[in-house]
Amino acid sequence: MPSSAVRTFTDPEDYAAAIRQGTYELTVTQRGDFTAKLTRIDLHRLWMQRFSENLPRVSHIAGWGGRAVIAFRTRPGPRLLSSGVEMLPTNIVRYREGQSYYRLSSGFACYGAMSLPVAELVSLGATVAGVDLAPPKDALIVTPSQTAMAKLQRLHAAAGQLAEGAPEIIAHPEAARGLEQALIEAMVECLSTGETGGDRSALRHHAMILRRFRRAVEENPDQPLYIPEVCAAIGASDRTLRVCCQEQLGMSPKRYLLLRRMHLARRALRDSAPTGTTVTEIATRHGFWQFGRFAGEYRSLFGELPSTTLGHPRA
Amino acid sequence: MPGSVTSVFGEANDFAAAMRAEGCCFGLLVTGPGAFRARLTRVALHRLRLSAAEEHLPRVALVAVPTDMILVSLPSGSGPAPIWGGLGLGAGDIMTLGAGQRLHMRTDGPCRWGAIWLPTGELVRYGSALTGMSFAVPAAALWWRLRPAMMRHLRHLHSAAIRLVESGSRAMIDAAAAHGLEQQLIHALVECLSKGSVIEVDRATREHQDIAVRFEALLRTEPERVLRTAEICKTLGIPARTLRISCEEQLGMGPTEYIRRRHTTGGRQVKVS
């Protein structure tokens, strides 16, 4: 049964949890009031999402087996990296089946995603376009013709507008089928006629290191992590890890782990009773030893002092 | 299990005993007049130990590093830093003394110092992981000049932990806090030892350091007897002039004066265990 939903969020964690593919972690990297809009449309076999976020952030997206996933920008804007490659208004990222990856934005970002069952896309590629559309072994950048790209973006936007203004049309099976057909055709045209990116062996190696890095983070969901133990665990030097993170996350691992510790500290401050603990104890527990600097960074990231968060625990 | 303590001492013997409890042999001889006063703060993390001291009287001591540890000495606070092996420690410098090594540490008046003790194996392990190469920990005493940002970071980490203990905070007994501090200190030290520049120490000073250590060891073989300079020189195989220069440089006084003080300071003198 086709369906759609449009939701707006002010809490990054709620937003991350609502994304269909499952974003394990979303870290906002700049101060401000976070707002995001998520449009989710499930047609018969084609699923799509539209995203709009106002603040820079880095997120990790979980792999999705069985479906062929693509993503592209729906509006131009500041730098947007996905799996270490830059998403431009003129290109599409095709992900490997089950691929987990990082997505990094450096400001206001609008982008969309579409997915079809792998078998369905392979069959369509063979019958409609005469090309092999099996998911790539690694994420690929595809640059379709301007016309094909514009068509896909237009149809994707139209579906988003319907979800917002006339969701009953999407819910109607026949109307949904028509929309789905048009979108699938546009998708196949883009993927079958577009030019694909060149050599990505270095990126592949870096992606492997990032996967190990990610695993180390996931195995310690509530623990602050530090560079020495991470380097020892994943078998990559500080320098190599820095290059990989800069490429895929747009920041050094030190900065990434610091932001992560900052978010863990915020969670601990929210979950603590103000009488039972102090900001200093929580700060040191999360590796912050310069308290003035911690308070300054915390404030610039979350818009309030740590003592304010501790004084107002989450209900 | 992390733990920490700050102690104030009115007796040199007690101060030296506290240092010995840290795992390093520590002979200490007060060399100036006045009432002895010192404050020592010790922080035991999981594998690393930190210490910081504030002393008011000049003294000389022999520091011996345990066979599985490395000692990193760094300036603490403002004011004069200790003199290690006859060489002062600049505000941007650290000194490392490897496993099993001995060296004299002297102060010429009120002094503050900080130290980090860490297992050599840990430093090698993390040093190799961070640099991606085999990481050798120097055994000999080395003086390092660090980039200002590196030095600031190392001093911040050290002094923040010491300040917390001195202020009575519970933070330093928290296992997660101790782990985090330890990781950050290891990272900072690996950076220092892989990117800092080693300050050249001339051959003569190295020889004098070695002579002073051997001289001290000889005195300890017969603690009750007053050895004569000629006898000492003969045993050590060096001319009297070399012995005198070495002692003045390393101990802050000539050999005769040093021997005399060892015997006359009575209760103040602390024998190396």
Side-chain angles (χ1 to χ4, degrees), chain A residues 219-302:
Chain A
E219 282 167 2
N220 300 278
D222 303 318
Q223 300 300 316
L225 286 173
Y226 302 89
I227 299 289
E229 59 192 352
V230 169
C231 284
I234 70 177
S237 71
D238 188 14
R239 189 167 174 276
T240 305
L241 184 60
R242 199 163 53 237
V243 170
C244 298
C245 286
Q246 204 64 54
E247 189 179 272
Q248 306 260 333
L249 306 176
M251 65 181 90
S252 70
K254 198 171 174 183
R255 176 76 188 153
Y256 178 81
L257 292 178
L258 182 139
L259 282 170
R260 183 175 176 272
R261 287 192 278 123
M262 201 64 104
H263 281 265
L264 288 173
R266 181 167 174 76
R267 199 191 298 165
L269 286 163
R270 279 172 161 179
D271 293 346
S272 300
T275 49
T277 190
T278 64
V279 170
T280 301
E281 280 168 13
I282 288 176
T284 54
R285 213 172 288 155
H286 291 85
F288 298 105
W289 299 93
Q290 295 176 53
F291 308 119
R293 199 165 159 186
F294 167 65
E297 282 228 26
Y298 187 95
R299 189 177 185 172
S300 79
L301 200 56
F302 303 118

Coordinates of all heavy atoms in Angstrom, one line a residue, chain A residues 219-302:
Chain A
E219 N 31.4 -0.4 18.5 CA 31.6 -1.4 19.6 C 31.6 -0.7 20.9 O 31.6 -1.4 22.0 CB 32.9 -2.2 19.3 CG 32.7 -3.3 18.3 CD 34.0 -3.9 17.8 OE1 35.1 -3.5 18.3 OE2 33.9 -4.7 16.9
N220 N 31.8 0.6 20.9 CA 31.8 1.3 22.2 C 30.8 2.5 22.2 O 31.2 3.7 22.2 CB 33.2 1.9 22.4 CG 34.3 0.8 22.5 OD1 34.5 0.2 23.5 ND2 34.9 0.5 21.4
P221 N 29.5 2.2 22.1 CA 28.6 3.2 21.8 C 28.5 4.3 22.9 O 28.2 5.5 22.6 CB 27.2 2.5 21.7 CG 27.5 1.2 22.4 CD 28.9 0.9 22.2
D222 N 28.8 4.0 24.1 CA 28.6 5.0 25.2 C 30.0 5.4 25.7 O 30.0 6.1 26.7 CB 27.8 4.4 26.3 CG 26.4 3.9 25.8 OD1 25.9 4.7 25.0 OD2 26.0 2.8 26.2
Q223 N 31.1 4.9 25.2 CA 32.4 5.2 25.7 C 33.1 6.2 24.9 O 33.2 6.1 23.7 CB 33.3 3.9 25.7 CG 32.7 2.8 26.5 CD 32.5 3.1 28.0 OE1 33.4 3.7 28.6 NE2 31.4 2.8 28.5
P224 N 33.7 7.2 25.6 CA 34.6 8.1 24.9 C 35.7 7.3 24.3 O 36.2 6.4 24.9 CB 35.1 9.1 25.9 CG 34.2 8.9 27.1 CD 33.6 7.5 27.0
L225 N 36.2 7.7 23.1 CA 37.3 7.0 22.5 C 38.4 8.0 22.2 O 38.1 9.2 22.0 CB 36.9 6.4 21.2 CG 36.0 5.1 21.3 CD1 35.5 4.7 19.9 CD2 36.8 4.0 22.0
Y226 N 39.6 7.5 22.2 CA 40.8 8.4 22.0 C 41.7 7.8 20.8 O 41.7 6.6 20.6 CB 41.6 8.5 23.3 CG 40.7 9.0 24.4 CD1 40.0 8.2 25.2 CD2 40.6 10.4 24.6 CE1 39.1 8.7 26.2 CE2 39.7 10.9 25.6 CZ 39.0 10.0 26.4 OH 38.2 10.5 27.3
I227 N 42.4 8.7 20.2 CA 43.2 8.3 19.1 C 44.1 7.1 19.3 O 44.2 6.2 18.5 CB 44.0 9.5 18.5 CG1 43.0 10.6 18.1 CG2 44.9 9.1 17.4 CD1 42.3 10.3 16.8
P228 N 44.9 7.1 20.4 CA 45.9 5.9 20.5 C 45.2 4.6 20.5 O 45.6 3.7 19.8 CB 46.5 6.2 21.9 CG 46.4 7.7 22.1 CD 45.1 8.1 21.5
E229 N 44.1 4.4 21.3 CA 43.4 3.1 21.3 C 42.8 2.8 20.0 O 42.7 1.6 19.6 CB 42.4 3.1 22.5 CG 41.3 4.1 22.5 CD 40.6 4.2 23.8 OE1 40.8 3.3 24.6 OE2 39.8 5.1 23.9
V230 N 42.3 3.8 19.3 CA 41.6 3.6 18.0 C 42.6 3.1 17.0 O 42.4 2.2 16.3 CB 40.9 4.9 17.5 CG1 40.4 4.7 16.1 CG2 39.6 5.1 18.4
C231 N 43.8 3.8 16.9 CA 44.8 3.5 16.0 C 45.3 2.0 16.3 O 45.5 1.3 15.4 CB 46.0 4.4 16.1 SG 45.7 6.0 15.3
A232 N 45.5 1.7 17.6 CA 45.9 0.4 17.9 C 44.9 -0.7 17.5 O 45.2 -1.8 17.0 CB 46.2 0.3 19.4
A233 N 43.6 -0.3 17.7 CA 42.5 -1.3 17.4 C 42.4 -1.5 15.9 O 42.1 -2.6 15.4 CB 41.2 -0.8 18.0
I234 N 42.5 -0.5 15.1 CA 42.2 -0.6 13.6 C 43.5 -0.8 12.8 O 43.4 -1.1 11.6 CB 41.4 0.5 13.1 CG1 42.2 1.8 13.0 CG2 40.1 0.7 13.9 CD1 41.5 3.0 12.4
G235 N 44.7 -0.7 13.4 CA 45.9 -1.0 12.7 C 46.2 0.1 11.6 O 46.7 -0.3 10.6
A236 N 45.9 1.3 11.9 CA 46.2 2.4 11.0 C 46.9 3.5 11.8 O 46.6 3.7 12.9 CB 45.0 3.0 10.3
S237 N 47.9 4.1 11.2 CA 48.6 5.2 11.9 C 47.8 6.4 12.0 O 46.8 6.6 11.3 CB 49.9 5.5 11.2 OG 49.6 6.2 10.0
D238 N 48.2 7.3 12.9 CA 47.5 8.5 13.2 C 47.4 9.3 11.8 O 46.3 9.9 11.5 CB 48.3 9.3 14.2 CG 47.6 10.6 14.7 OD1 46.4 10.7 14.4 OD2 48.3 11.4 15.3
R239 N 48.5 9.3 11.1 CA 48.5 10.1 9.9 C 47.5 9.5 8.8 O 46.8 10.3 8.2 CB 50.0 10.1 9.3 CG 50.2 11.0 8.2 CD 51.7 11.2 7.9 NE 51.9 12.0 6.7 CZ 51.9 11.5 5.5 NH1 51.7 10.2 5.3 NH2 52.1 12.3 4.5
T240 N 47.6 8.2 8.6 CA 46.7 7.6 7.7 C 45.2 7.8 8.0 O 44.4 8.1 7.2 CB 47.0 6.0 7.6 OG1 48.4 5.9 7.3 CG2 46.2 5.4 6.5
L241 N 45.0 7.6 9.3 CA 43.6 7.8 9.8 C 43.1 9.2 9.5 O 42.0 9.5 9.2 CB 43.5 7.4 11.2 CG 42.1 7.4 11.9 CD1 41.1 6.5 11.1 CD2 42.1 7.1 13.3
R242 N 44.1 10.1 9.7 CA 43.7 11.6 9.5 C 43.4 11.8 8.1 O 42.4 12.5 7.8 CB 44.9 12.4 10.0 CG 44.5 13.9 10.2 CD 45.5 14.6 11.0 NE 46.9 14.6 10.5 CZ 47.9 14.1 11.1 NH1 47.8 13.7 12.3 NH2 49.1 14.1 10.5
V243 N 44.1 11.2 7.2 CA 43.9 11.4 5.7 C 42.5 10.9 5.4 O 41.7 11.5 4.7 CB 45.0 10.8 4.9 CG1 44.6 10.7 3.4 CG2 46.3 11.5 5.1
C244 N 42.2 9.7 5.9 CA 40.9 9.0 5.6 C 39.8 9.8 6.1 O 38.7 10.0 5.4 CB 40.9 7.6 6.2 SG 42.1 6.5 5.5
C245 N 39.9 10.2 7.3 CA 38.8 11.0 8.0 C 38.6 12.3 7.3 O 37.4 12.7 7.1 CB 39.0 11.2 9.5 SG 38.8 9.7 10.4
Q246 N 39.7 12.9 6.9 CA 39.5 14.2 6.3 C 38.8 14.1 5.0 O 37.9 14.9 4.6 CB 40.9 14.8 6.0 CG 41.0 16.3 5.9 CD 40.6 17.0 7.1 OE1 41.2 16.8 8.2 NE2 39.7 17.9 7.0
E247 N 39.1 13.0 4.3 CA 38.5 12.7 3.0 C 37.0 12.3 3.1 O 36.1 12.8 2.4 CB 39.2 11.6 2.4 CG 38.9 11.2 0.9 CD 39.8 10.1 0.5 OE1 41.0 10.4 0.1 OE2 39.4 8.9 0.7
Q248 N 36.7 11.5 4.1 CA 35.4 10.9 4.2 C 34.5 11.7 5.2 O 33.3 11.7 5.0 CB 35.4 9.5 4.7 CG 36.3 8.6 3.8 CD 35.6 7.7 2.8 OE1 34.4 7.4 3.0 NE2 36.2 7.4 1.7
L249 N 35.1 12.3 6.2 CA 34.3 13.0 7.2 C 34.4 14.5 7.1 O 33.7 15.2 7.8 CB 34.6 12.5 8.6 CG 34.6 11.0 8.9 CD1 35.1 10.7 10.3 CD2 33.2 10.5 8.7
G250 N 35.4 14.9 6.4 CA 35.7 16.4 6.3 C 36.3 16.9 7.5 O 36.3 18.2 7.7
M251 N 36.8 16.1 8.4 CA 37.4 16.6 9.6 C 38.4 15.5 10.1 O 38.4 14.4 9.7 CB 36.4 16.9 10.7 CG 35.7 15.7 11.2 SD 34.4 16.1 12.4 CE 33.0 16.4 11.4
S252 N 39.3 15.9 11.0 CA 40.3 15.0 11.5 C 39.6 14.0 12.5 O 38.6 14.3 13.0 CB 41.4 15.7 12.2 OG 40.9 16.2 13.4
P253 N 40.2 12.8 12.7 CA 39.6 11.9 13.6 C 39.6 12.5 15.0 O 38.7 12.2 15.8 CB 40.5 10.7 13.6 CG 41.8 11.1 12.9 CD 41.5 12.3 12.1
K254 N 40.6 13.3 15.3 CA 40.7 13.9 16.7 C 39.4 14.8 16.9 O 38.8 14.8 17.9 CB 41.9 14.8 16.7 CG 42.4 15.1 18.1 CD 43.7 15.7 18.1 CE 44.1 16.2 19.5 NZ 45.4 16.9 19.5
R255 N 39.1 15.6 15.8 CA 38.0 16.5 15.9 C 36.7 15.7 16.0 O 35.8 16.0 16.7 CB 38.0 17.4 14.6 CG 36.8 18.3 14.5 CD 36.9 19.5 15.5 NE 35.7 20.3 15.5 CZ 35.3 21.0 16.5 NH1 36.0 21.1 17.6 NH2 34.2 21.7 16.4
Y256 N 36.6 14.6 15.2 CA 35.4 13.8 15.1 C 35.2 13.1 16.5 O 34.1 13.2 17.1 CB 35.5 12.7 14.1 CG 34.4 11.7 14.1 CD1 33.2 12.1 13.4 CD2 34.4 10.5 14.7 CE1 32.1 11.2 13.4 CE2 33.3 9.7 14.7 CZ 32.2 10.0 14.1 OH 31.1 9.2 14.1
L257 N 36.3 12.6 17.1 CA 36.1 12.0 18.4 C 35.8 13.0 19.5 O 35.1 12.7 20.5 CB 37.4 11.1 18.7 CG 37.6 9.9 17.9 CD1 38.9 9.2 18.3 CD2 36.4 8.9 17.9
L258 N 36.4 14.2 19.3 CA 36.1 15.3 20.3 C 34.6 15.6 20.2 O 33.9 15.8 21.3 CB 36.9 16.5 20.0 CG 36.8 17.6 21.0 CD1 38.1 18.3 21.3 CD2 35.9 18.7 20.5
L259 N 34.1 15.8 19.0 CA 32.6 16.1 18.9 C 31.8 15.0 19.4 O 30.8 15.2 20.1 CB 32.3 16.3 17.4 CG 32.7 17.6 16.8 CD1 32.5 17.6 15.3 CD2 31.9 18.8 17.4
R260 N 32.2 13.8 19.2 CA 31.5 12.6 19.7 C 31.5 12.6 21.3 O 30.5 12.4 21.9 CB 32.1 11.3 19.2 CG 31.4 10.1 19.6 CD 32.1 8.9 18.9 NE 31.5 7.7 19.4 CZ 31.9 7.0 20.5 NH1 32.9 7.4 21.2 NH2 31.3 5.9 20.9
R261 N 32.6 13.0 21.8 CA 32.7 13.0 23.3 C 31.9 14.2 23.8 O 31.2 14.1 24.9 CB 34.2 13.3 23.7 CG 35.0 12.0 23.6 CD 36.4 12.2 24.3 NE 37.4 12.9 23.5 CZ 38.0 14.0 23.8 NH1 37.8 14.5 25.0 NH2 38.9 14.5 23.1
M262 N 31.8 15.3 23.0 CA 31.0 16.4 23.4 C 29.5 16.0 23.5 O 28.8 16.3 24.4 CB 31.2 17.5 22.4 CG 30.9 18.9 22.8 SD 31.9 19.5 24.2 CE 33.0 20.5 23.4
H263 N 29.1 15.2 22.5 CA 27.7 14.7 22.5 C 27.4 13.7 23.6 O 26.3 13.8 24.2 CB 27.3 14.1 21.1 CG 27.1 15.2 20.0 ND1 25.8 15.6 19.7 CD2 27.9 15.9 19.3 CE1 25.9 16.6 18.8 NE2 27.2 16.8 18.5
L264 N 28.4 12.9 23.9 CA 28.2 11.9 25.0 C 28.1 12.7 26.3 O 27.3 12.3 27.2 CB 29.4 10.9 25.0 CG 29.4 9.9 23.9 CD1 30.7 9.1 24.0 CD2 28.2 8.9 24.0
A265 N 28.9 13.7 26.4 CA 28.9 14.5 27.6 C 27.5 15.2 27.8 O 27.0 15.3 28.9 CB 30.0 15.5 27.6
R266 N 27.0 15.7 26.7 CA 25.7 16.3 26.7 C 24.6 15.3 27.2 O 23.8 15.6 28.0 CB 25.3 16.9 25.3 CG 24.0 17.6 25.3 CD 23.9 18.4 24.0 NE 22.6 19.0 23.8 CZ 22.1 20.1 24.4 NH1 22.9 20.7 25.3 NH2 20.9 20.6 24.2
R267 N 24.7 14.1 26.6 CA 23.8 13.1 27.0 C 23.9 12.8 28.5 O 22.9 12.7 29.2 CB 24.0 11.8 26.2 CG 22.8 10.9 26.2 CD 23.1 9.5 25.6 NE 23.5 9.6 24.3 CZ 24.1 8.6 23.6 NH1 24.4 7.5 24.3 NH2 24.5 8.6 22.4
A268 N 25.1 12.7 29.0 CA 25.3 12.4 30.4 C 24.8 13.6 31.3 O 24.2 13.3 32.3 CB 26.8 12.2 30.7
L269 N 25.0 14.8 30.8 CA 24.6 16.0 31.6 C 23.0 16.0 31.6 O 22.4 16.2 32.7 CB 25.0 17.3 30.9 CG 26.5 17.6 31.1 CD1 26.9 18.7 30.1 CD2 26.8 18.1 32.5
R270 N 22.4 15.6 30.5 CA 20.9 15.6 30.5 C 20.4 14.5 31.4 O 19.3 14.6 32.0 CB 20.5 15.3 29.1 CG 20.4 16.5 28.2 CD 20.1 16.0 26.8 NE 19.6 17.0 25.9 CZ 19.3 16.8 24.6 NH1 19.4 15.5 24.1 NH2 18.9 17.7 23.9
D271 N 21.1 13.4 31.4 CA 20.6 12.2 32.2 C 21.0 12.2 33.7 O 20.6 11.3 34.4 CB 21.1 10.9 31.5 CG 20.5 10.7 30.1 OD1 19.6 11.4 29.8 OD2 21.1 9.9 29.4
S272 N 21.7 13.2 34.1 CA 22.2 13.3 35.5 C 21.4 14.2 36.3 O 20.9 15.2 35.9 CB 23.6 13.7 35.6 OG 24.5 12.8 34.8
A273 N 21.2 13.8 37.6 CA 20.5 14.7 38.5 C 21.5 15.8 38.9 O 22.7 15.4 39.3 CB 20.0 13.9 39.7
P274 N 21.1 17.0 38.9 CA 22.1 18.1 39.3 C 22.7 18.0 40.7 O 23.8 18.5 40.9 CB 21.3 19.4 39.1 CG 19.9 19.0 39.0 CD 19.8 17.6 38.6
T275 N 22.0 17.3 41.6 CA 22.6 17.2 42.9 C 23.5 16.0 43.0 O 24.4 16.0 44.0 CB 21.4 17.0 43.9 OG1 20.6 15.9 43.4 CG2 20.6 18.2 44.1
G276 N 23.5 15.1 42.1 CA 24.3 13.9 42.3 C 25.7 14.0 41.6 O 26.5 13.2 41.9
T277 N 25.9 14.9 40.7 CA 27.1 15.0 40.0 C 27.5 16.5 39.7 O 26.6 17.4 39.9 CB 27.1 14.1 38.8 OG1 28.4 14.0 38.2 CG2 26.2 14.7 37.7
T278 N 28.7 16.7 39.2 CA 29.1 18.0 38.8 C 29.5 18.1 37.4 O 29.8 17.0 36.8 CB 30.3 18.5 39.7 OG1 31.4 17.7 39.4 CG2 30.0 18.5 41.1
V279 N 29.5 19.3 36.8 CA 29.9 19.4 35.4 C 31.4 18.9 35.3 O 31.7 18.3 34.3 CB 29.8 20.9 34.9 CG1 30.5 21.1 33.6 CG2 28.3 21.3 34.9
T280 N 32.2 19.3 36.3 CA 33.6 18.9 36.2 C 33.7 17.3 36.1 O 34.5 16.8 35.3 CB 34.3 19.4 37.5 OG1 34.2 20.8 37.5 CG2 35.8 19.0 37.5
E281 N 33.0 16.6 36.9 CA 33.0 15.2 36.9 C 32.7 14.6 35.5 O 33.3 13.7 35.0 CB 32.1 14.6 38.0 CG 32.8 14.6 39.3 CD 31.8 14.3 40.5 OE1 30.7 13.8 40.2 OE2 32.1 14.6 41.6
I282 N 31.6 15.2 35.0 CA 31.2 14.7 33.6 C 32.2 15.1 32.6 O 32.5 14.3 31.7 CB 29.7 15.2 33.3 CG1 28.7 14.4 34.2 CG2 29.4 15.0 31.8 CD1 27.3 14.9 34.1
A283 N 32.7 16.3 32.7 CA 33.7 16.8 31.7 C 34.9 15.9 31.7 O 35.4 15.4 30.7 CB 34.1 18.2 32.0
T284 N 35.4 15.6 32.9 CA 36.7 14.8 33.0 C 36.4 13.3 32.5 O 37.2 12.7 31.9 CB 37.3 14.8 34.4 OG1 36.3 14.4 35.3 CG2 37.8 16.1 34.7
R285 N 35.2 12.9 32.9 CA 34.8 11.5 32.4 C 34.8 11.4 30.9 O 35.0 10.3 30.4 CB 33.4 11.2 33.0 CG 33.2 9.7 33.4 CD 31.9 9.5 34.1 NE 31.9 10.0 35.4 CZ 30.8 10.4 36.1 NH1 29.7 10.4 35.5 NH2 30.9 10.9 37.3
H286 N 34.6 12.5 30.2 CA 34.6 12.5 28.8 C 35.9 13.1 28.2 O 35.9 13.5 27.0 CB 33.3 13.2 28.3 CG 32.1 12.4 28.6 ND1 31.5 12.5 29.8 CD2 31.4 11.4 27.9 CE1 30.4 11.6 29.9 NE2 30.4 11.0 28.7
G287 N 36.9 13.2 29.0 CA 38.2 13.6 28.4 C 38.4 15.1 28.3 O 39.3 15.5 27.5
F288 N 37.6 15.9 29.0 CA 37.8 17.3 28.9 C 38.5 17.8 30.1 O 37.9 17.7 31.2 CB 36.5 18.1 28.6 CG 35.8 17.7 27.3 CD1 34.8 16.8 27.3 CD2 36.3 18.1 26.1 CE1 34.2 16.4 26.2 CE2 35.8 17.7 24.9 CZ 34.7 16.8 24.9
W289 N 39.7 18.4 30.0 CA 40.5 18.8 31.1 C 40.7 20.3 31.2 O 41.2 20.8 32.2 CB 41.8 18.1 31.1 CG 41.6 16.6 31.1 CD1 41.5 15.8 30.0 CD2 41.4 15.8 32.3 NE1 41.3 14.5 30.5 CE2 41.2 14.5 31.8 CE3 41.4 16.1 33.6 CZ2 41.0 13.4 32.7 CZ3 41.2 15.0 34.5 CH2 41.0 13.7 34.1
Q290 N 40.2 21.0 30.2 CA 40.3 22.5 30.3 C 38.8 22.9 30.4 O 38.1 23.0 29.4 CB 41.0 23.0 29.1 CG 42.5 22.6 29.0 CD 43.1 23.1 27.7 OE1 43.0 24.3 27.4 NE2 43.7 22.3 27.0
F291 N 38.4 23.2 31.6 CA 37.0 23.4 31.8 C 36.4 24.6 31.1 O 35.3 24.6 30.7 CB 36.7 23.3 33.3 CG 37.3 22.1 33.9 CD1 38.2 22.2 34.9 CD2 37.0 20.8 33.4 CE1 38.8 21.0 35.4 CE2 37.6 19.7 33.9 CZ 38.5 19.8 34.9
G292 N 37.2 25.7 31.1 CA 36.7 26.9 30.5 C 36.6 26.7 29.0 O 35.6 27.1 28.4
R293 N 37.5 26.0 28.4 CA 37.4 25.7 27.0 C 36.3 24.8 26.7 O 35.6 24.9 25.7 CB 38.8 25.1 26.6 CG 39.0 25.2 25.1 CD 40.5 24.9 24.8 NE 40.6 24.5 23.5 CZ 41.8 24.1 23.0 NH1 42.8 24.0 23.7 NH2 41.8 23.8 21.7
F294 N 36.1 23.8 27.6 CA 35.0 22.8 27.4 C 33.7 23.6 27.4 O 32.8 23.4 26.5 CB 35.0 21.8 28.5 CG 33.8 21.0 28.6 CD1 33.4 20.1 27.6 CD2 32.9 21.1 29.7 CE1 32.3 19.3 27.7 CE2 31.8 20.3 29.8 CZ 31.4 19.4 28.8
A295 N 33.5 24.5 28.4 CA 32.2 25.3 28.5 C 32.0 26.1 27.2 O 30.9 26.2 26.7 CB 32.3 26.1 29.7
G296 N 33.1 26.7 26.7 CA 33.0 27.5 25.5 C 32.6 26.7 24.3 O 31.8 27.1 23.5
E297 N 33.3 25.6 24.1 CA 33.0 24.7 23.0 C 31.6 24.2 23.0 O 30.9 24.0 22.1 CB 34.0 23.6 22.9 CG 35.3 24.0 22.3 CD 35.8 23.1 21.2 OE1 35.0 22.4 20.6 OE2 37.0 23.0 21.0
Y298 N 31.2 23.8 24.3 CA 29.9 23.2 24.5 C 28.8 24.2 24.1 O 27.9 24.0 23.4 CB 29.8 22.8 26.0 CG 28.5 22.1 26.3 CD1 28.5 20.7 26.3 CD2 27.4 22.7 26.6 CE1 27.4 20.0 26.6 CE2 26.2 22.0 26.9 CZ 26.2 20.6 26.9 OH 25.1 20.0 27.2
R299 N 29.1 25.5 24.6 CA 28.1 26.5 24.3 C 28.0 26.8 22.8 O 27.0 27.0 22.3 CB 28.5 27.8 25.1 CG 27.5 28.8 25.0 CD 28.0 30.0 25.9 NE 26.9 31.0 26.0 CZ 27.0 32.0 26.7 NH1 28.0 32.2 27.5 NH2 26.0 32.9 26.7
S300 N 29.2 26.8 22.2 CA 29.1 27.1 20.7 C 28.5 26.0 19.9 O 28.0 26.2 18.9 CB 30.5 27.5 20.2 OG 31.2 26.3 20.0
L301 N 28.5 24.8 20.5 CA 27.9 23.7 19.8 C 26.4 23.5 20.1 O 25.6 23.2 19.2 CB 28.6 22.4 20.2 CG 28.5 21.2 19.3 CD1 28.9 21.5 17.9 CD2 29.4 20.1 19.8
F302 N 26.1 23.7 21.4 CA 24.7 23.4 21.8 C 23.9 24.7 22.2 O 22.7 24.6 22.6 CB 24.7 22.4 23.0 CG 25.4 21.1 22.6 CD1 26.5 20.7 23.3 CD2 24.9 20.3 21.6 CE1 27.2 19.5 23.0 CE2 25.6 19.1 21.3 CZ 26.7 18.7 22.0

